[in-house]
Each structure stands twice: as structure tokens, then as C-alpha cells.
């Protein structure tokens, strides 16, 4: 059996190498590539992804998995997890024909360029045909994978293995019951917090330097990773020893760069701290997007927008930007970076209204996939939900339905994981506060090593060995998702800031 396991590992390594090479090309497309390269790059990616798919789905891999599943591996062993997770991926991959995989790769790669142009023109019409193809491909994928009653389950499972749409809907309903009225209450008090100090001119070079210093201080290892600039910040890893982040720099908005660095740093540290022997296997990387977001949001929001964090960093930030912040108190700054205000754009949204942007997308995706909403009617449906959740109507599609990159890249079933990440971040954080009683005092001293070590031990090192539900159970004892810790955190923090 050891010999067969070794043979499987060798085959998986080849698949992984092709996939990681495709990731390098995808990273390059976002960070360096001139726009003229797009057609050739789409072909290159399609070739690599088709080859990886062909290698992985060979009969011999299935036979090896069958033999290995028959052996008596200890239940919690890495071997048992490798066989189980590889089996899940294999069964998924076998259900897609090579033609469908190649068609998806090309459509999604070109889709991003069509979307970018449409967004630039603030006009949905040129993107409509492409999005129709993308929705249709997603339906084909979901049908190929199969599902019991809810088509959305088949796609959600790709990003959040084991999670069901009904489970997400239950948690979201609980969140809505508190967050929607809270946003309305705070909307009547937006003037209580003045964030104009953040909208001054902050030279981008100094923003970059400050962000990079904080990134290293929280524990991102620059010997095994790097940060670059891109329009849409993201994290991608080629191995645990080569993890790439990007951030965006905006001169007249200080927080967007630093908080995107903290956010992507949270993703990056997860990837860097997976057990090295999982590299090149399906156990490499984060276990689900929700758990990934629990990490990024914890470093960005729970830590990065906390009073304790800025008790340490604010004097340094003032020294970096004396003209902009010299006269502003820590309290003013803390309130400014936590201002809640309904706005049109998800990635610029505050911690409280953010989730409302997700509810909207989650509901529209379910409608599209179930065939109850036509792509042609999507902009109007978007605007109606924006009005009902946030009381705003986008002036044009660029600030509405075209704002996100996800659909153009073929990603559907992905959006709810952002809010799941918020929910999980507080479930995990409550446990860290219990296990490390002086955690907040450590933040006041600029010490983050104990927090990172806790995450490394309980979450990061396991890679994809356990599902989100399993991790939550192991760490907190709760039976899966629980909205209450997050709601308590939000009510306490913003109740104090807004006096509600
Ligand atoms: Zn993220």
C-alpha cells in the first residue's frame, strides 16, 4: 500500500505542477501582462488546465484511489484525508468533459476582458451575452456534478465543501434580522462619525512602506512570499514557500490600501502555514473560502480595525503622515476607520453594511441558476435589491451590477463565503480570547505571534484535511455555523461607536 500511495503522490504532484504553472500565468495576467496578451494567455491557460484535468482524471488514478480506500488507514491520519479529499476532487473532475473544461477556461478568461471594458464604459449591454454563456456553463457544471433539490448546492460545494444552501440561508436570515435594522438605525446617525481625515492626500509610496512593515509584523514571511500591486487585490500561492499578495494604492483614501494588505495578509499567512508535506497534493491550501475569509477578515477587521491595534500603531502612522494626522486623536481615527454608511460598492463597504451586499448577490445568484431570473433583467433586479437593502440606487451599471470581477471569471456560488468568513472569524476569535487571556494586551504592544501560532496550530497546518464544519466543531464545540458570536461582536463594537 505504501508503494501505491507513493505512486498516487507522484501523479498528484504532476497535476499540481501544471495547475500551479497556470496560477503563475493567472497571477501575471493580473499583475504584469499588457492588455494585448489576453487572447494568447487565454489559450495558454486553457492548454495547461486541460492537460492537468486529463492527467488527473485518468482511469489509473481512480484505480489507485479504490485500492487505497480499501486499506486500513487510521481515521484521523493524513493518508486517510489525502485519499478522501482526492476522491472528492476526482469524482468532481470526472464529471466534466475535457471539452467543457476547455470551454470554461476560454470563456472565463476572455470574460474578464469583456467585463473590464463594459465596466469601464459603465454599460451592462456589451457584457450581457458573455454573462449568459457563463451562467449557462455554471448550470452545465452543476448538472454534471449533481445535486438533490437545490442547484446552488452543487456550486457552493466547490468553495465550501460539505456546506448546504439551506444551512447558509438559515444563518443569513438570522444575520438579516439584526443587521438590516441596525444599518437603518445607524444610517440616521451617520454624521456622528467624521471620516474626512482619511480622504486627504496620502502619498502612495509612504502607504506602501507602512503597509509592508505591518504585513511583516503580523507574520507574513517575505522570504516565502511577496506583495505587488493590482487593480483587484488577491492572494495566490504556487507552494507554501511562494505565496503572492497584491494590494491597491489610492492616493486620496488611506484605508483601502492598508486594510487590503491586512486582508490579503490574512489569506497569505494561512497559505504559508499549511504543513509543507501537503504541498503538491489536494490537501495544499485553505480548506474552504469561508475559512479563508475568516482569516483575512480577522486580521483586517477584528484586529486591524480594533482600538488595541491602533493604540500601538497610531503614533507610528502619525509619524508617517504628520501633516494629515498630526492633529487627529486616536479616538477620532478609530471612529473614522469604523464609520458605517450605506454605499454602492462592496469592496469599499464597512464591516456592518458589507454583509448586505453579500445577501443581495447570494439571492440573485440563486435566482439566475434556478432560471427564475434572466441575465437581461439582472441590472434592474440588482438596483431593486440595492434600494431595499441599502436605500441606494446606482447611478450606472459600473457602480452596480458590473462592480465585481467574480461572475466574469466564471465564479458563481462564491459570494456567500465572504459573510460565512465573518461569521466564522468571530466563532474562532472567541476561542482565541479564551485560550490566550492577555491577547488584547499583546495587540497593544504590537505582538501578534501568539495569535498566528494559535491559528497555525488549530487551522492553518491542517490545510484541506478538515472541512469548515469539522474545524468549527473541533475548535469551538459548536455544531457548525453560529451567527451569534459575530452579531454580539458587531452590536458591542458599533453600539459603542454610535450609541445605539
Ligand atoms: Zn478575501
Amino acid at each position: 500500500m505504501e508503494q501505491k500511495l507513493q505512486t498516487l503522490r507522484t501523479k498528484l504532484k504532476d497535476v499540481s505542477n501544471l495547475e500551479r504553472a497556470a496560477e503563475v500565468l493567472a497571477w501575471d495576467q493580473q499583475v504584469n501582462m499588457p492588455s494585448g496578451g489576453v487572447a494568447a494567455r487565454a489559450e495558454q491557460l486553457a492548454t495547461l488546465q486541460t492537460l492537468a484535468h486529463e492527467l488527473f482524471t485518468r482511469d489509473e488514478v481512480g484505480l489507485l484511489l479504490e485500492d487505497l480506500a480499501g486499506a486500513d488507514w487510521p481515521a484521523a491520519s493524513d493518508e486517510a484525508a489525502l485519499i478522501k479529499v482526492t476522491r472528492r476532487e476526482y469524482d468532481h473532475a470526472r464529471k466534466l468533459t475535457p471539452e467543457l473544461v476547455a470551454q470554461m477556461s476560454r470563456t472565463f478568461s476572455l470574460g474578464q476582458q469583456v467585463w473590464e471594458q463594459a465596466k469601464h464604459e459603465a454599460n451592462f449591454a456589451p457584457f450581457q451575452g458573455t454573462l449568459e454563456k457563463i451562467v449557462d456553463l455554471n448550470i452545465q457544471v452543476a448538472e454534471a456534478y449533481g445535486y438533490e433539490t437545490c442547484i446552488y448546492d452543487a456550486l457552493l460545494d466547490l468553495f465550501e465543501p460539505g456546506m448546504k444552501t439551506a444551512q447558509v440561508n438559515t444563518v443569513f436570515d438570522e444575520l438579516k434580522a439584526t443587521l438590516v435594522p441596525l444599518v437603518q438605525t445607524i444610517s440616521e446617525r451617520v454624521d456622528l462619525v467624521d471620516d474626512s481625515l482619511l480622504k486627504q492626500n496620502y502619498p502612495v509610496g509612504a502607504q506602501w512602506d507602512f503597509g509592508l512593515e505591518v504585513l511583516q509584523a503580523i507574520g507574513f514571511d517575505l522570504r516565502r512570499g511577496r506583495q505587488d500591486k493590482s487593480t483587484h487585490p488577491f492572494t495566490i500561492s504556487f507552494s507554501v514557500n511562494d505565496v503572492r499578495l497584491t494590494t491597491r494604492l489610492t492616493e486620496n483614501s488611506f484605508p483601502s490600501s492598508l486594510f487590503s494588505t491586512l486582508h490579503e495578509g490574512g489569506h497569505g499567512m494561512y497559505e504559508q502555514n499549511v504543513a509543507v508535506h501537503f504541498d503538491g497534493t489536494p490537501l495544499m491550501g485553505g480548506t474552504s473560502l469561508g475559512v479563508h475569509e475568516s482569516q483575512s477578515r480577522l486580521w483586517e477587521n477584528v484586529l486591524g480595525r480594533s482600538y488595541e491595534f491602533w493604540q500601538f500603531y497610531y503614533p507610528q502612522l502619525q509619524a508617517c503622515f504628520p501633516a494629515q494626522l498630526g492633529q487627529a486623536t486616536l479616538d477620532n481615527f478609530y471612529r473614522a476607520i469604523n464609520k458605517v454608511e450605506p454605499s454602492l460598492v462592496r469592496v469599499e463597504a464597512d464591516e456592518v453594511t458589507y454583509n448586505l451586499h453579500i445577501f443581495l448577490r447570494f439571492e440573485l445568484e440563486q435566482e439566475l441558476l434556478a432560471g427564475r431570473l434572466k441575465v437581461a433583467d439582472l441590472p434592474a433586479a440588482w438596483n431593486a435589491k440595492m434600494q431595499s437593502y441599502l436605500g441606494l440606487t446606482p447611478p450606472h451599471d459600473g457602480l452596480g451590477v458590473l462592480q465585481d470581477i467574480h461572475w466574469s471569471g466564471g465564479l458563481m456560488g462564491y459570494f456567500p463565503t465572504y459573510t460565512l468568513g465573518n461569521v466564522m472569524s468571530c466563532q474562532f476569535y472567541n476561542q482565541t480570547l479564551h485560550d490566550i487571556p492577555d491577547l488584547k494586551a499583546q495587540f497593544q504592544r504590537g505582538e501578534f505571534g501568539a495569535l498566528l501560532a494559535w491559528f497555525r496550530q488549530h487551522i492553518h497546518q491542517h490545510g484541506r484535511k478538515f472541512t469548515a464544519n469539522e474545524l468549527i466543531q473541533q475548535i469551538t464545540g459548536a455544531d457548525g455555523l453560529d451567527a451569534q458570536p459575530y452579531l454580539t461582536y458587531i452590536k458591542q463594537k458599533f453600539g459603542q461607536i454610535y450609541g445605539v
Side-chain angles (χ1 to χ4, degrees):
M1 276 302 159
E2 279 303 327
Q3 185 55 45
K4 284 191 171 164
L5 190 63
Q6 199 43 50
T7 309
L8 179 70
R9 283 183 192 279
T10 306
K11 290 184 186 301
L12 294 176
K13 185 85 184 172
D14 287 339
V15 174
S16 173
N17 285 341
L18 284 169
E19 286 171 347
R20 299 286 90 77
E23 301 278 38
V24 178
L25 293 186
W27 171 83
D28 175 75
Q29 181 167 358
Q30 303 278 331
V31 174
N32 294 317
M33 195 185 78
S35 59
V38 66
R41 183 55 49 89
E43 292 299 324
Q44 293 152 2
L45 282 166
T47 299
L48 281 174
Q49 280 155 357
T50 309
L51 272 177
H53 182 259
E54 196 273 318
L55 262 190
F56 183 50
T57 53
R58 285 185 180 174
D59 293 340
E60 61 208 67
V61 175
L63 292 172
L64 276 170
L65 284 169
E66 259 166 51
D67 288 350
L68 287 163
D72 202 12
W73 308 103
S77 65
D78 291 350
E79 290 81 3
L82 176 68
I83 294 159
K84 189 180 94 182
V85 172
T86 306
R87 177 93 241 173
R88 187 176 75 211
E89 305 266 297
Y90 183 78
D91 289 345
H92 265 138
R94 287 276 285 201
K95 289 175 179 168
L96 303 185
T97 61
E99 294 74 31
L100 184 58
V101 172
Q103 203 189 343
M104 285 162 65
S105 178
R106 275 193 205 96
T107 308
F108 299 161
S109 185
L110 289 169
Q112 295 201 359
Q113 298 308 119
V114 178
W115 162 76
E116 224 155 81
Q117 186 60 28
K119 184 179 175 183
H120 181 70
E121 292 166 10
N123 180 14
F124 181 73
F127 182 54
Q128 183 184 319
T130 304
L131 187 57
E132 280 165 355
K133 276 188 216 148
I134 288 170
V135 171
D136 182 59
L137 282 169
N138 270 284
I139 291 172
Q140 287 186 50
V141 167
E143 296 295 346
Y145 289 159
Y147 52 90
E148 283 173 17
T149 52
C150 174
I151 188 170
Y152 201 88
D153 278 349
L155 299 178
L156 179 65
D157 196 69
L158 300 175
F159 307 109
E160 207 55 59
M163 200 76 79
K164 297 288 181 217
T165 311
Q167 194 186 356
V168 177
N169 268 314
T170 304
V171 172
F172 280 18
D173 285 346
E174 201 177 340
L175 292 172
K176 279 180 212 171
T178 297
L179 295 178
V180 173
L182 181 65
V183 167
Q184 274 164 4
T185 307
I186 294 178
S187 297
E188 290 153 16
R189 299 167 163 248
V190 282
D191 295 342
L192 282 179
V193 174
D194 176 9
D195 67 346
S196 56
L197 62 100
L198 303 176
K199 292 168 182 163
Q200 305 171 82
N201 191 302
Y202 290 87
V204 291
Q207 285 195 53
W208 174 267
D209 292 344
F210 188 81
L212 209 54
E213 199 183 306
V214 176
L215 182 64
Q216 292 177 83
I218 62 172
F220 184 77
D221 185 352
L222 285 178
R223 292 163 307 175
R224 301 190 295 123
R226 55 178 283 133
Q227 179 177 258
D228 291 272
K229 292 166 214 158
S230 72
T231 323
H232 313 283
F234 66 97
T235 300
I236 202 163
S237 65
F238 311 142
S239 101
V240 299
N241 292 317
D242 186 357
V243 178
R244 308 294 177 94
L245 316 179
T246 67
T247 190
R248 95 185 108 214
L249 291 165
T250 320
E251 195 145 85
N252 59 359
S253 167
F254 163 71
S256 55
S257 168
L258 178 71
F259 290 117
S260 108
T261 292
L262 283 169
H263 181 98
E264 300 306 331
H267 284 306
M269 291 190 293
Y270 189 179
E271 295 283 328
Q272 284 188 331
N273 286 298
V274 172
V276 70
H277 61 274
F278 289 166
D279 236 4
T281 78
L283 296 181
M284 173 188 175
T287 192
S288 77
L289 291 189
V291 178
H292 239 304
E293 284 295 311
S294 80
Q295 300 304 291
S296 56
R297 274 158 204 283
L298 188 123
W299 293 98
E300 177 195 355
N301 292 329
V302 181
L303 177 83
R305 292 180 206 266
S306 72
Y307 196 78
E308 293 81 9
F309 182 83
W310 288 105
Q311 280 178 300
F312 180 76
Y313 273 115
Y314 191 58
Q316 295 181 34
L317 188 69
Q318 281 182 305
C320 267
F321 300 103
Q324 295 85 346
L325 296 172
Q327 301 306 313
T329 64
L330 169 60
D331 278 50
N332 286 343
F333 179 77
Y334 169 73
R335 290 166 67 82
I337 59 173
N338 285 296
K339 183 176 175 71
V340 175
E341 187 169 24
S343 62
L344 294 166
V345 178
R346 176 186 62 89
V347 295
E348 301 291 343
D350 57 80
E351 272 186 89
V352 187
T353 59
Y354 188 93
N355 301 291
L356 277 51
H357 292 268
I358 298 304
F359 303 151
L360 170 155
R361 288 156 177 76
F362 179 49
E363 288 162 14
L364 292 176
E365 284 188 339
Q366 290 179 77
E367 299 282 302
L368 283 170
L369 292 166
R372 293 190 295 265
L373 174 65
K374 289 195 174 66
V375 171
D377 300 326
L378 185 61
W382 178 287
N383 292 352
K385 279 195 190 289
M386 273 305 287
Q387 188 61 46
S388 93
Y389 274 126
L390 289 151
L392 300 169
T393 298
H396 54 73
D397 294 336
L399 288 172
V401 67
L402 289 175
Q403 65 182 266
D404 293 311
I405 193 170
H406 302 62
W407 291 338
S408 72
L411 299 170
M412 305 196 84
Y414 183 117
F415 279 119
T417 65
Y418 290 114
T419 287
L420 295 179
N422 282 335
V423 169
M424 290 183 212
S425 73
C426 285
Q427 287 188 267
F428 297 143
Y429 186 57
N430 276 1
Q431 197 60 42
T432 63
L433 287 171
H434 177 270
D435 293 352
I436 313 170
D438 70 332
L439 192 61
K440 289 189 176 178
Q442 295 184 16
F443 297 162
Q444 289 170 322
R445 299 194 296 269
E447 295 167 11
F448 311 105
L451 181 63
L452 180 57
W454 190 97
F455 280 121
R456 185 183 298 125
Q457 181 192 345
H458 294 279
I459 297 178
H460 299 174
Q461 63 160 333
H462 300 306
R464 304 181 67 209
K465 185 171 172 179
F466 303 112
T467 65
N469 281 327
E470 286 166 348
L471 281 177
I472 293 170
Q473 196 149 35
Q474 284 169 25
I475 292 170
T476 70
D479 184 23
L481 292 170
D482 178 2
Q484 284 312 314
Y486 179 66
L487 288 173
T488 304
Y489 159 81
I490 290 287
K491 282 188 285 191
Q492 275 176 358
K493 178 173 178 180
F494 295 94
Q496 191 248 335
I497 293 173
Y498 283 92
V500 293

